[in-house]
Amino acid sequence: MDSDRSTETRVADLLGRMTLREKAGQMVGLHVGSFSVLQREDPRTTTVEDAKDAIRDHFVGSATPFGTGFSPYNTAVVAGRVANQLQRVAVNETRLGIPLLIPVDAIHGHAHIEGATVFPHNLAMAATWNPDLVERAARITAIEMAATGANQNYAPTADVAREPRWGRTYETYGESSPLVEEFVAAETRGLQGASLDGPTSVAATVKHYPASSEPTRGEDTAPVDISMGTLRRVFLPPFERAIDEGVAAVMPMYNAIGNEPAHASNFYLTDLLRERLGFEGVTCSDWLGVWMLAERHQTAASFTEAVEQVTTAGLDVASVGGVQHAETLCELVESGQLSESLLDRSVRRILTLKFELGLFEDPYVSPRSAIIDVGSDEHRRVSREAARESVTLLQNNDETLPLADVDDLFVTGPNADSLDNLLGGWTVFGFDENEGSTVRDGLEHVVDDGTTVTYEPGVSSGELTDRDAVASRAEHADATVAVLGEPWYLHEFGPESLRGENGGFPQRNSLELPPAQRALLDVVTATETPTVLVLVTGRPLILTDVLDQVDAVVVAFFPGLEGGRAIADVLVGNTNPSGRLPITFPRAMGDFPVRHDWLPHPSPLGMDEHLPSYDPLFEFGFGLSYTEFAYDALEVSDETIVDGNAVTVSVTVTNSGDHTGTETVQLFGEHRYSSVVTPVRELKGFSKVTLSAGETQTVTMTLTADDLRVVKPDGTRSLESGTYELFVGDLNRELTIE
């Protein structure tokens, strides 16, 4: 308890005092609420009193009483009180008084708490191409978490979105590993602050290690089958970057990789993660990850065998293992099947994190902090800024947008008046409508006084409704805004009991708009009234067949609590759109996989006889503005680069249009030749610049020799001499690697 001593000394002292049961307790967590929505065999609800008993009697070291979709305690003040109750039991009613880790799922803000600031989801944040904004959002998330007593976040998500059919695409920062790296690093810094023991710092947990986002069939948690070279080139860099930033915890994926479940893999949890990547923190299971070894992967004959497997592999905390997992650990040690030294290894890491968080000095929270900090006006302003920067303009025929001289504006579609569908999953469902604005609300707020906004939903329960009313309103309007796309969902597009029925959408088999939404679009466009399609979605959808019908297309990837107002501001021109796609929009389902960093390959019949390898509807990095930008004078500070050095890449950007606007300058590169096959187009840098009409500015980016290394089949990286070509817009320059 002497805070003047080193953490290492304090951990050693405490560990030396602990019994086997106390050690086992520290390695498990529990939740408050019910898993019945997941159809688990045991639907029993865990109460706060159950949690207190588990802490007293089994020394459980981690508890999640709120901040999930399964807990009833999701108001800010109540959450803080519950956290304090559980901490008091841990500190005052157990022999050693070890405080609790209290993790939450704060994926895009502390969004499982009513009234909290809900930011755009990660895919939308990536569309801002603004890591500084993500760091600010993460700092706010940490402040609001700490105000409710939470001290660990199951974020950031470091998955690289390589499979758009996957239902968790919106949780990612897109398809480019370098882009994901920058955002993961920013989120880690924001959550953990300058020091973990700061009063508003929380432990970040990077997930889902090492490569959950390219599952077979696009099916959530299905096996991942990739090479070591692809693992090291595409999927591991964001995790490595998080480790470099000092991330406190790592969560393995549910999936098997190379036929080996990540939760039970000594190679992935120990050899690769700790010995090669240098991670020294805590590993935490995904929620039912241990149980799934026996019940789903079938690599363990029993729950007992599953516990033995994960402990041997290097898993430190079974996040919702509860009393059963703790008792099983004790039985395995007492029977000689498991060495107590393995428990010591994990407990040492867990205690280190608790000391570093300052929990032994003060684990409690003032309920007044929640009243002041959670959902404050200042925090909401940052959310609105993020939403505005994330909205992306994909089509604007005949300058339909911004809407001008519109006396009668018709708004329709299943997402036009739904706040839940703007928020997306990992959010309190049924969020208080007064806490945010829908697209309909936003437009009613921002249009000119002389403009009338009329509304018909058009689609209900997956069916086209009120066809005549929709047609009549569209025909008499000056413009129609159709807000279509996906509803609120989690994981594999559920639970349907919450998100409702939307004509079989979303799903994995088709990314086209569902029949009812297509029919609605047919009705409104048949009137020949200018039509703007606003797409609210968690992943790229296939719009090939509808582009010719509509005059403009705007996409918002679950833009959060301020999303309705942000979309409205873009539509009327209060905001010049600056979002750029962090993920490719394909032309057809048969194009999958379609990625900007595709690998070159032979064409036995000649190039003219092969379809293009990358010919998307909207490419990675694409986005329009209400102004125009021109590039000139791409220069490199040195014609050659050697190991350990760096060069500066500069380009002149001019706003050649009539409005102030923000451009994202994107630097891509390609090895002309190398010993292994490398992508034809990899993102190597980016920078945002805001320019007034007619203004010119030189943008510079730094390129290091490490950025140019190639990944060998065994996963090692090396710098190879040769020609490297750089691209910015239509400009290109060569760089020689020596």
Side-chain angles (χ1 to χ4, degrees):
M1 297 303 296
D2 184 355
S3 60
D4 290 333
R5 300 294 187 97
S6 69
T7 297
E8 184 178 5
T9 299
R10 299 175 80 185
V11 169
D13 179 82
L14 180 53
L15 185 61
R17 301 169 186 266
M18 296 176 72
T19 66
L20 173 61
R21 294 181 68 245
E22 288 166 337
K23 294 174 184 177
Q26 287 299 304
M27 293 176 62
V28 301
L30 48 78
H31 72 288
V32 171
S34 174
F35 274 140
S36 58
V37 71
L38 299 181
Q39 299 179 334
R40 193 184 180 192
E41 291 179 359
D42 178 11
R44 186 176 70 91
T45 297
T46 303
T47 67
V48 171
E49 292 306 314
D50 293 333
K52 290 178 180 178
D53 289 341
I55 295 165
R56 289 189 195 99
D57 301 337
H58 298 275
F59 315 106
V60 167
S62 175
T64 302
F66 57 85
T68 71
F70 310 117
S71 171
Y73 303 107
N74 284 339
T75 59
V77 173
V78 171
R81 290 171 180 164
V82 171
N84 284 345
Q85 289 179 32
L86 297 182
Q87 291 286 17
R88 287 191 182 98
V89 172
V91 172
N92 298 326
E93 299 182 40
T94 64
R95 187 177 71 92
L96 294 173
I98 303 173
L100 299 170
L101 290 174
I102 299 184
V104 297
D105 282 313
I107 308 301
H108 61 136
H110 201 14
H112 276 121
I113 295 294
E114 293 180 7
T117 306
V118 181
F119 291 96
H121 260 295
N122 287 350
L123 196 60
M125 295 299 272
T128 71
W129 290 65
N130 188 346
D132 291 339
L133 187 54
V134 169
E135 185 169 351
R136 289 163 57 199
R139 187 85 291 275
I140 288 169
T141 299
I143 290 169
E144 297 196 6
M145 284 176 56
T148 62
N151 51 43
Q152 181 181 3
N153 191 3
Y154 290 143
T157 299
D159 301 319
V160 181
R162 310 289 282 181
E163 173 51 90
R165 292 176 296 177
W166 183 48
R168 304 189 71 171
T169 297
Y170 66 86
E171 296 179 46
T172 78
Y173 287 118
E175 71 180 44
S176 164
S177 186
L179 188 67
V180 175
E181 273 190 63
E182 294 301 323
F183 283 103
V184 165
E187 187 175 355
T188 300
R189 291 192 300 268
L191 290 172
Q192 298 193 166
S195 174
L196 269 180
D197 63 359
T200 61
S201 293
V202 300
T205 308
V206 66
K207 63 182 187 182
H208 304 87
Y209 171 83
S212 73
S213 50
E214 195 174 343
T216 305
R217 303 176 296 278
E219 182 178 359
D220 189 36
T221 75
V224 172
D225 190 9
I226 56 176
S227 68
M228 181 57 66
T230 298
L231 179 69
R232 294 303 295 259
R233 177 177 62 85
V234 175
F235 294 100
L236 280 185
F239 291 97
E240 294 179 79
R241 184 68 178 275
I243 292 169
D244 290 343
E245 294 288 346
V247 73
V250 169
M251 178 181 287
M253 63 188 190
Y254 284 124
N255 318 58
I257 178 170
N259 298 330
E260 187 178 26
H263 275 74
S265 171
N266 186 77
F267 172 75
Y268 286 107
L269 292 187
T270 299
D271 292 351
L272 181 59
L273 180 62
R274 298 194 182 276
E275 295 177 12
R276 299 191 195 182
L277 303 185
F279 178 64
E280 297 179 349
V282 175
T283 52
C284 306
S285 77
D286 214 328
W287 271 39
L288 298 175
V290 179
W291 172 78
M292 286 179 178
L293 295 178
E295 298 296 327
R296 294 293 183 265
H297 288 292
Q298 298 176 304
T299 57
S302 64
F303 179 75
T304 297
E305 188 174 333
V307 172
E308 181 180 7
Q309 287 179 1
V310 299
T311 308
T312 302
L315 185 72
D316 297 323
V317 178
S319 298
V320 292
V323 171
Q324 181 187 10
H325 193 109
E327 290 179 338
T328 302
L329 280 170
C330 292
E331 292 167 1
L332 286 167
V333 173
E334 289 167 346
S335 68
Q337 293 174 259
L338 204 62
S339 170
E340 190 169 349
S341 64
L342 293 178
L343 275 65
D344 290 344
R345 179 182 67 178
S346 290
V347 174
R348 187 175 291 109
R349 297 168 185 153
I350 297 164
L351 295 179
T352 296
L353 177 56
K354 291 184 176 184
F355 278 117
E356 289 177 343
L357 283 168
L359 298 180
F360 283 86
E361 281 63 60
D362 183 11
Y364 304 112
V365 62
S366 168
R368 180 172 174 77
S369 298
I371 297 173
I372 297 171
D373 293 331
V374 174
S376 71
D377 290 343
E378 179 185 354
H379 293 176
R380 293 284 292 267
R381 279 194 292 272
V382 178
S383 176
R384 191 175 306 125
E385 180 183 350
R388 284 173 175 156
E389 287 197 30
S390 73
V391 177
T392 306
L393 178 63
L394 299 183
Q395 178 173 293
N396 194 21
N397 296 341
D398 300 323
E399 297 185 349
T400 300
L401 295 177
L403 297 170
D405 300 324
V406 175
D407 295 326
D408 190 333
L409 180 63
F410 176 47
V411 182
T412 187
N415 288 341
D417 201 33
S418 170
L419 186 59
D420 283 325
N421 289 0
L422 291 180
L423 301 177
W426 306 100
T427 316
V428 173
F429 188 80
F431 217 93
D432 187 341
E433 294 287 338
N434 295 320
E435 291 288 337
S437 65
T438 65
V439 177
R440 175 192 180 185
D441 297 333
L443 284 169
E444 289 175 342
H445 185 83
V446 302
V447 294
D448 295 336
D449 291 340
T451 300
T452 300
V453 177
T454 58
Y455 166 72
E456 286 285 346
V459 173
S460 177
S461 299
E463 300 291 337
L464 179 65
T465 60
D466 301 319
R467 176 188 292 267
D468 292 341
V470 168
S472 176
R473 290 187 184 276
E475 185 174 3
H476 290 92
D478 297 308
T480 294
V481 175
V483 192
L484 309 181
E486 298 191 298
W488 183 105
Y489 58 85
L490 285 171
H491 280 277
E492 190 78 349
F493 315 117
E496 186 176 334
S497 60
L498 295 181
R499 66 168 170 80
E501 214 287 320
N502 196 16
F505 197 59
Q507 53 155 302
R508 279 186 281 116
N509 297 329
S510 174
L511 293 180
E512 290 92 355
L513 292 174
Q517 295 190 28
R518 286 293 308 273
L520 175 63
L521 209 55
D522 290 341
V523 170
V524 299
T525 57
T527 66
E528 298 187 1
T529 297
T531 300
V532 178
L533 169 59
V534 174
L535 196 69
V536 175
T537 179
R539 53 200 173 136
L541 300 182
I542 294 170
L543 306 176
T544 309
D545 293 339
V546 303
L547 281 188
D548 289 341
Q549 285 185 275
V550 298
D551 299 279
V553 179
V554 169
V555 64
F557 297 108
F558 293 146
L561 204 55
E562 306 293 333
R565 176 64 183 273
I567 291 169
D569 280 333
V570 168
L571 295 181
V572 302
N574 292 341
T575 299
N576 190 344
S578 63
R580 301 293 182 264
L581 291 180
I583 193 166
T584 298
F585 271 56
R587 292 184 181 275
M589 291 293 292
D591 289 345
F592 289 139
V594 53
R595 303 151 186 162
H596 74 285
D597 52 351
W598 57 279
L599 298 174
H601 55 84
S603 51
L605 298 179
M607 291 297 293
D608 292 342
E609 302 298 331
H610 282 259
L611 295 174
S613 296
Y614 187 70
D615 182 28
L617 193 63
F618 297 109
E619 66 182 17
F620 171 82
F622 179 79
L624 299 175
S625 170
Y626 295 151
T627 191
E628 300 290 335
F629 298 96
Y631 291 85
D632 189 26
L634 177 61
E635 303 292 346
V636 183
S637 61
D638 199 324
E639 294 181 354
T640 62
I641 188 170
V642 298
D643 202 356
N645 283 8
V647 296
T648 298
V649 181
S650 63
V651 65
T652 300
V653 185
T654 300
N655 182 344
S656 55
D658 299 326
H659 306 282
T660 297
T662 300
E663 173 72 327
T664 298
V665 181
Q666 301 160 358
L667 172 65
F668 294 92
E670 175 189 3
H671 287 276
R672 187 71 59 77
Y673 302 100
S674 56
S675 64
V676 295
V677 178
T678 57
V680 300
R681 188 171 182 251
E682 281 188 298
L683 183 69
K684 291 300 175 183
F686 59 93
S687 180
K688 294 188 74 167
V689 57
T690 299
L691 301 173
S692 302
E695 183 181 359
T696 297
Q697 188 170 320
T698 298
V699 175
T700 61
M701 291 168 278
T702 300
L703 190 66
T704 70
D706 283 343
D707 295 329
L708 307 181
R709 296 185 187 278
V710 300
V711 179
K712 298 299 187 68
D714 63 358
T716 59
R717 296 184 176 98
S718 65
L719 186 67
E720 297 184 350
S721 60
T723 302
Y724 193 82
E725 193 160 7
L726 300 171
F727 304 89
V728 176
D730 294 330
L731 306 176
N732 66 295
R733 282 290 182 273
E734 288 186 354
L735 176 66
T736 300
I737 305 172
E738 292 187 343

